[in-house]
Structure formats: C-alpha cells, structure tokens
C-alpha cells in the first residue's frame, strides 16, 4: 500500500547550474507517494538529480495526510501527485547564496 510522505531537503546547485537563478542552494519540502520511507527518499533524490541538483541532506521524513499539509504550495504539490505517474512533487524552493558548513 502506498502512503503520502513529506520531508525537508537541502540541495546544492553546482557551479554553472542556473535552475536556482544563481543561488548556491536551497531548502525545499517534498511530498510523494511511496510504499516506504526509503522509496520516497530515492524518488525525490532521483528527480532532484535529474534537474542537476545535488542533495546535501534530507530530514523530517514522515508519513502524512493531505489535510495535515498547512503550506499551500506543498498542499498543491501533493494534489498534483498521480499514482503510477507523478510520485514526487516539491513546494517552494527557499534559496540561499552561501552554502552552510
């Protein structure tokens, strides 16, 4: 059975990556449909990697319910999920200019 999962991702944009409009990195909440935590983490990391972003850290990974999502962007992202097609989506990217140590 697939569950809805959420988590917070810290990502880095390699030199030359323009996806974050010149920012060196960002924090972003992800939401996804997966059988377990490891599959959710793998799916989200695969999408971020396909966009040319490097995962520095992920935390606060947990199962959730749609009605628990208070962030409107993350709620919309969760509503865009389609089992078997779109398994992971992201909220707003909160960028930063210097990479934390």
């Amino acid at each position: 059975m697939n569950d809805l999962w959420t988590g917070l991702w810290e990502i880095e944009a390699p030199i030359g990556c323009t996806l974050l409009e010149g920012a060196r990195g960002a924090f972003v909440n992800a939401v996804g449909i997966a059988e377990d935590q490891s599959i959710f983490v793998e799916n989200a990391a695969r999408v971020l990697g396909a966009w040319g972003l490097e995962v520095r850290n992920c935390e606060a990974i947990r199962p959730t319910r749609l009605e628990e999502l208070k962030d409107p962007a993350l709620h919309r992202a969760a509503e865009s999920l389609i089992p078997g097609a779109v398994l992971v989506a992201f909220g707003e990217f909160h960028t930063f200019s210097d990479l934390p140590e």
Side-chain angles (χ1 to χ4, degrees):
M1 176 167 173
N2 289 330
D3 293 316
L4 187 64
W5 293 83
T6 60
L8 177 65
W9 297 80
E10 179 185 359
I11 54 174
E12 180 177 340
I15 303 285
C17 177
T18 59
L19 187 66
L20 299 179
E21 299 177 353
R24 291 288 296 138
F27 291 99
V28 62
N29 285 301
V31 62
I33 300 170
E35 291 180 27
D36 61 36
Q37 177 177 331
S38 64
I39 293 173
F40 168 60
V41 169
E42 181 181 311
N43 288 343
R46 186 180 311 117
V47 170
L48 293 167
W51 291 343
L53 300 169
E54 298 174 7
V55 174
R56 290 179 52 106
N57 189 30
C58 63
E59 58 187 45
I61 308 298
R62 64 181 183 86
T64 191
R65 295 189 327 261
L66 187 61
E67 57 271 10
E68 293 177 326
L69 300 174
K70 305 298 182 209
D71 177 355
L74 196 58
H75 195 277
R76 284 190 304 274
E79 291 178 326
S80 75
L81 297 172
I82 303 168
V86 180
L87 299 178
V88 66
F90 299 89
E92 293 182 30
F93 284 75
H94 302 278
T95 60
F96 50 82
S97 56
D98 293 322
L99 293 176
E101 293 298 320

